[in-house]
Amino acid sequence: MEKSLKILSVNLKHNLLPYTAVCILMIILSPFFMGTKNLLQNQTAKVIEVYLSLFGIIMMIPVFSPDMNKDIRDLIYSKKTPVFLLHIIRTMQSVLIFVVLGIIFLFYLKAGNCSFDFGKILYTLMANSIFLGGMGMLVFSVTDQVVFAYMIPLIYYEANFGAGKDKLGKIYLFTMQTGSINEKHYLIVIGLFMVILSIFARQFIHLKK
């Protein structure tokens, strides 16, 4: 437990702090970009799916960022803690941060007299964010290029505006706006699969170096 807490502390201080600050800034600026008062469920879903879903890209891709420094990477591999466990702890921390921030934002919306199912909207945030973040992590783990890691999920995100549900089917990001939550099950399962695959792919690639 003590070792895990130390990993969390170091990761937050030296890696995640600026990304967390970006998410907090997005929340603070949200009233300037969209309505946050007196929203119905479909309107709240639009805010979460179109805006807060980006939390996953912002918070999850940096899981592998420290590994890009060779000195840090060598230090990581010299420790007794398995690298895949280190990446799992970092990933869980990233998810926990954006979920907590999402909950705070949802309470803010509730205070603004918005009407929505708290559980469904929170699940929507988690599903979309983990899917997009997992996609970025997988790209990062394979290419070792942070630019591609951000670019690919952002391209997919943008494609949802043009392609629509007819073309993207079960992995369409914006279904909650029409009241459908079933697609979120596919998104979260596929997202978690990409996260797991990225962690093992990352270790395999590094061990081969």
Side-chain angles (χ1 to χ4, degrees):
M1 176 63 73
E2 184 179 346
K3 186 180 292 185
S4 297
L5 290 175
K6 185 176 181 180
I7 292 172
L8 293 172
S9 176
V10 170
N11 188 48
L12 178 62
K13 182 179 179 181
H14 297 286
N15 185 28
L16 290 184
L17 208 54
Y19 303 101
T20 304
V22 170
C23 291
I24 293 174
L25 184 62
M26 286 178 63
I27 291 176
I28 293 173
L29 295 178
S30 60
F32 298 99
F33 296 117
M34 62 196 71
T36 56
K37 305 289 184 182
N38 304 310
L39 301 178
L40 300 177
Q41 171 130 328
N42 65 317
Q43 295 170 319
T44 303
K46 184 175 182 179
V47 172
I48 300 302
E49 291 179 327
V50 174
Y51 192 63
L52 257 63
S53 292
L54 297 174
F55 277 7
I57 298 176
I58 296 169
M59 293 302 305
M60 294 176 69
I61 292 175
V63 164
F64 299 131
S65 294
D67 304 347
M68 296 186 73
N69 185 304
K70 187 179 185 302
D71 292 335
I72 295 177
R73 187 166 66 243
D74 291 341
L75 179 63
I76 289 171
Y77 277 87
S78 69
K79 300 294 185 180
K80 292 182 179 180
T81 304
V83 178
F84 78 90
L85 181 59
L86 177 63
H87 288 154
I88 289 172
I89 292 173
R90 287 182 191 166
T91 302
M92 292 175 64
Q93 183 180 28
S94 293
V95 172
L96 179 62
I97 289 172
F98 77 66
V99 168
V100 169
L101 291 177
I103 290 173
I104 292 171
F105 184 73
L106 291 182
F107 275 118
Y108 167 71
L109 293 181
K110 280 289 187 184
N113 199 35
C114 297
S115 176
F116 59 90
D117 185 300
F118 199 99
K120 287 182 178 180
I121 293 297
L122 179 60
Y123 184 65
T124 294
L125 169 65
M126 293 176 62
N128 280 25
S129 297
I130 290 174
F131 180 82
L132 291 172
M135 185 183 297
M137 286 179 65
L138 184 57
V139 173
F140 198 164
S141 69
V142 174
T143 66
D144 205 32
Q145 296 293 323
V146 68
V147 174
F148 291 154
Y150 283 104
M151 184 173 67
I152 299 303
L154 285 173
I155 289 174
Y156 181 81
Y157 168 82
E158 290 290 340
N160 277 260
F161 292 98
K165 189 177 186 303
D166 291 339
K167 293 183 179 179
L168 295 177
K170 301 296 185 181
I171 54 174
Y172 180 57
L173 295 175
F174 304 146
T175 57
M176 194 60 191
Q177 295 174 46
T178 60
S180 178
I181 198 172
N182 293 332
E183 292 79 3
K184 304 305 176 186
H185 307 325
Y186 292 93
L187 289 177
I188 201 165
V189 169
I190 295 171
L192 289 172
F193 176 75
M194 288 191 290
V195 168
I196 295 169
L197 185 59
S198 70
I199 290 172
F200 282 98
R202 188 72 179 173
Q203 186 178 19
F204 175 79
I205 291 170
H206 279 316
L207 287 174
K208 288 295 183 180
K209 287 184 177 181

